[in-house]
Amino acid sequence: MKKITVWGLAALLIAIWGCSPKWSEEDKGSYKLVHNEGGPTLGYAPTSGVTILTVDRFAFKDLNKNGRLDAYEDWRLPVDERASDLASKMTIEQIAGLMLYSGHQSIPATGNGFYGGTYNGKPFAESGAMASDLSDQQKKFLTDDNLRHVLITSVQSPAIAAQWNNNAQALVEAIGLGIPANNSSDPRHGTDSYAEFNAGAGGKISMWPGTLGLAASFDPQLMKQFGRIAALEYRALGITTALSPQIDLATEPRWSRFDGTMGEDPKLATDMARAYVDGFQTSTGADEIANGWGYKSVNAMVKHWPGGGPEEGGRDAHFGYGAYAVYPGNNLKDHLKPFTEGAFNLDGATGMASAVMPYYTISFNQDTVNRENVGNSYNKYLITDLLRGKYGYDGVVCTDWMITKNTQSVDVFQGKCWGVENLSEAERHYKAIEAGVDQFGGNNEMGPVLEAYQMGVAEHGEEYMRKRFEQSAVRLLRNIFRVGLFENPYLDVAETEKTVGNPEFMKAGFEAQLRSVVMLKNQKNTLPLKKQTNVYIPKKYIPGGKNWFGVETKPEWKDAVNPEIAKKYFKVVEKPADADVALVCIDSPKGGVGYSLEDVAKKSNGYVPISLQYGPYKADFARETSIGGGSPFENFTNRSYKGKTGIASNMQDMKTVLETKKQMGVKPVVVVVRVSNPMVFAEIEPSAHALLIHMGVQDQAIMEILTGGSEPSALLPFQMPADMKTVDEQFEDVPRDMKCYTDSEGNTYDFAFGLNWTGVIQDERVAKYK
């Protein structure tokens, strides 16, 4: 008789007694799936050393490889119990790694620049590596620094992203406690203006207008639809956290991040914020694990607490010259509403956004307890007293990127340690932790976090600091557990390719683009135009310059629209004399950043106006003394630019409109403006018979509206100023406080204004929000 092993005997007894395991295994190549009958599907990599435990006939992953089922490995238990158990098992080094959020990672990493990396010490092109391989730097921060939150930027393709995810998850599954990677993304659903939409055709990813364009629909359900579709595509790419939405109230019209917001109206922005987060976070049906969270959920990290909109003079806080948010109208309360009444007050079962990012800004004189003017992530009043205390928020608070790094001047893209420039990097980490922060954006190294821990031990004792670190660990782990990553972090590449940019999603995005275009003027029913009308489309001048990273671009003239798209709607002619209509496509004025080294060279303070008009503007109505001011890199505090002149770098856009009008005589000129900020229309509106604006759409969407394929229905989610005087005199923190432009037809370009083919839109959206 053959001998029988203990496990064989157990299997025999289970079979006799009808207690066979309730799971089966499926080999997927680089990973295996374990299907629990009546339970979740598990995924693990055979190379990771993880084995499957059978308990009560169900399968569980032995992530820490100790041969027994720990509470954090038991998918039957509530998330908080699992997170608390795991946090208690983690070393301080492991928690410190969990508190890191990586710098920007492109897949594959290319070059030596901002997104650079190497493979076995060589550039990607010379390495022979696969595009889905992990770079040397990624391997280091995942293994040596215990980092588990990765910010992904560009990817070569959806399939490569999925393969990279599987490689990263297999690596971290093999380490320590088997904590999966929580990968994230900044918004990635923008439009390629040149791309063509074909019904039934797919693309790299669905293309939508930006959130400001979606807000122009005045329809929160459209925003929610975007969130749901975007979440499905994110999950197919291995992305489980969205570093969005940007729900700053856009009360300062000159701010360079204005077009990433949901507009300036508190009620509209609040409703849109709620819809966005509900769309991203909510799983339903078989995809739901518990409380609305599940396998199709994406954590939403709302930004930027307590509102980054009221930047003094419109200068942005990525640089020291824009460090101050100011409140001349004493109106912090409106800036909190998209958070407290929107993102923290969801209709869906997830309840509130799972993470919050404070902005770089010093919210000047808003700390009513400690009277401290430091960057928001360092401010204990704003994080602990207000966010966590008054508003009861217990989700993750993650700093904006690189706030703990050093900087050398107010005009260089480096660290953003506003108000704490005199502290060491480790001291900045400790101050942020004491303020209530859980995580550090853009930091790949755990060393400064460990130093901060020791500072806390010296001040409060080991027990206090261990408890404080576990508190952050539980918050961070919740967001990994709730989306099912501990059960199965692996992706089926074929499913990814079918999901991302599928025809249904592409169609929804294109239809949303059509609903985001605002018609401001339609003199004598110039629009819609008949198809194959003779149309002259002048080229567009693109001014040169430097981006934030110092990369220079040269000026150039280029086609204003994709000529192949235009030819499908019009007979495009080369000369105005041969045209029945002219179509001029331009950008809103690019009025600068509010700081100039040329001004410094003139022995002035460097601060200059940001203009919302094309032509020169002298800031005679700016405030005499700035509200915010002061930097270790400046020997003055008054950042006023009164009496100085600003000019748009793309003034040629205005000239193109005026020249085209002159060339066309009495024949109609249609002007389409890609708007990034509110603008002064007095310079170009009189020369336009019809005027449309958009916040980022495909050229094809514009053509559809121009030719009547779709009727314009969007409304202005912000005001258009009458002149720069009203811009300089408005309060940075107060919504809808400008004198608005009135055009030659007698229409005022105020919040909630828009035209359709029959005239001014007066519907339930206008009644609700205006």
Side-chain angles (χ1 to χ4, degrees), residues 90-314:
M90 295 174 74
T91 65
I92 291 302
E93 288 77 13
Q94 288 169 331
I95 296 177
L98 195 65
M99 295 171 74
L100 305 178
Y101 224 125
S102 83
H104 300 66
Q105 305 296 311
S106 61
I107 302 172
T110 55
N112 298 315
F114 197 68
Y115 304 141
T118 58
Y119 297 80
N120 293 320
K122 297 179 180 179
F124 175 72
E126 301 171 14
S127 67
M130 303 286 288
S132 57
D133 287 348
L134 275 64
S135 70
D136 299 333
Q137 293 74 19
Q138 291 162 358
K139 290 175 183 176
K140 179 187 181 301
F141 63 58
L142 290 171
T143 54
D144 296 352
D145 292 287
N146 298 308
L147 184 148
R148 290 297 179 273
H149 294 80
V150 183
L151 171 55
I152 295 171
T153 55
S154 61
V155 297
Q156 190 177 94
S157 70
I160 293 299
Q163 291 162 351
W164 182 92
N165 170 81
N166 291 351
N167 291 337
Q169 299 294 2
L171 175 65
V172 297
E173 190 174 72
I175 302 170
L177 296 163
I179 300 171
N182 181 356
N183 303 322
S184 73
S185 174
D186 280 312
R188 60 193 314 117
H189 282 85
T191 58
D192 174 0
S193 62
Y194 261 46
E196 182 174 4
F197 170 73
N198 290 302
K204 290 182 179 179
I205 196 166
S206 62
M207 290 188 286
W208 299 71
T211 50
L212 189 60
L214 288 167
S217 73
F218 279 57
D219 181 4
Q221 289 305 308
L222 182 62
M223 185 72 82
K224 186 175 181 179
Q225 181 195 28
F226 161 70
R228 187 82 304 269
I229 289 174
L232 293 173
E233 292 185 305
Y234 273 28
R235 289 305 300 258
L237 292 167
I239 294 167
T240 45
T241 293
L243 302 186
S244 57
Q246 184 189 335
I247 59 175
D248 307 292
L249 201 61
T251 51
E252 169 45 59
R254 295 163 290 191
W255 186 30
S256 63
R257 300 191 70 178
F258 188 101
D259 63 345
T261 73
M262 298 177 179
E264 68 174 306
D265 183 73
K267 180 170 177 54
L268 179 63
T270 294
D271 289 350
M272 290 291 178
R274 183 186 305 112
Y276 186 111
V277 178
D278 266 333
F280 266 86
Q281 292 192 168
T282 305
S283 290
T284 58
D287 294 319
E288 183 179 4
I289 298 171
N291 303 316
W293 290 102
Y295 303 109
K296 302 302 182 187
S297 297
V298 171
N299 293 287
M301 184 181 291
V302 293
K303 57 189 186 184
H304 304 87
W305 179 264
E311 298 268 20
E312 184 161 22

Side-chain angles (χ1 to χ4, degrees), residues 397-419:
V397 175
C398 177
T399 74
D400 212 331
W401 262 232
M402 297 174 63
I403 73 155
T404 58
K405 299 295 184 182
N406 293 322
T407 190
Q408 297 171 330
S409 70
V410 298
D411 66 314
V412 178
F413 190 81
Q414 294 175 326
K416 296 120 179 60
C417 48
W418 315 139

Side-chain angles (χ1 to χ4, degrees), residues 351-531:
M352 63 173 58
S354 65
V356 171
M357 182 189 296
Y359 203 36
Y360 299 119
T361 44
I362 296 169
S363 295
F364 192 68
N365 286 349
Q366 297 307 298
D367 181 347
T368 59
V369 174
N370 306 305
R371 307 291 177 182
E372 195 174 28
N373 281 314
V374 291
N376 295 325
S377 288
Y378 297 110
N379 193 298
K380 190 170 185 178
Y381 167 74
L382 292 176
I383 305 301
T384 294
D385 296 351
L386 194 63
L387 176 60
R388 296 208 187 279
K390 182 174 180 179
Y391 294 109
Y393 185 77
D394 193 37
V396 168
V397 175
C398 177
T399 74
D400 212 331
W401 262 232
M402 297 174 63
I403 73 155
T404 58
K405 299 295 184 182
N406 293 322
T407 190
Q408 297 171 330
S409 70
V410 298
D411 66 314
V412 178
F413 190 81
Q414 294 175 326
K416 296 120 179 60
C417 48
W418 315 139
V420 293
E421 292 94 339
N422 60 317
L423 299 183
S424 70
E425 192 170 340
E427 287 169 336
R428 292 171 194 147
H429 281 80
Y430 181 49
K431 185 172 179 62
I433 291 167
E434 287 285 87
V437 160
D438 302 302
Q439 195 168 31
F440 298 92
N443 184 355
N444 298 352
E445 300 170 349
M446 70 178 177
V449 183
L450 294 176
E451 286 186 66
Y453 179 81
Q454 293 303 326
M455 291 175 184
V457 170
E459 182 174 354
H460 300 292
E462 187 90 38
E463 182 180 357
Y464 171 91
M465 281 308 288
R466 173 76 204 191
K467 183 178 179 181
R468 174 65 188 85
F469 265 47
E470 284 194 27
Q471 182 184 47
S472 285
V474 168
R475 291 170 180 151
L476 291 159
L477 290 168
R478 272 193 207 124
N479 292 354
I480 307 177
F481 277 112
R482 290 194 289 206
V483 297
L485 286 176
F486 275 89
E487 278 57 72
N488 181 23
Y490 296 96
L491 299 172
D492 183 322
V493 176
E495 283 299 313
T496 292
E497 292 182 304
K498 282 196 295 186
T499 300
V500 181
N502 72 45
E504 178 189 349
F505 296 170
M506 298 297 289
K507 182 174 184 287
F510 188 74
E511 289 175 349
Q513 292 178 47
L514 295 172
R515 295 181 59 188
S516 73
V517 178
V518 184
M519 184 164 69
L520 296 177
K521 184 178 182 182
N522 193 20
Q523 185 178 357
K524 297 180 180 179
N525 295 321
T526 299
L527 301 179
L529 302 172
K530 290 182 179 179
K531 283 194 172 184

Side-chain angles (χ1 to χ4, degrees), residues 686-706:
S687 297
H689 291 78
L691 188 57
L692 291 88
I693 68 162
H694 66 95
M695 280 66 80
V697 299
Q698 292 167 252
D699 292 341
Q700 188 175 352
I702 297 296
M703 300 300 149
E704 282 290 316
I705 289 176
L706 292 177

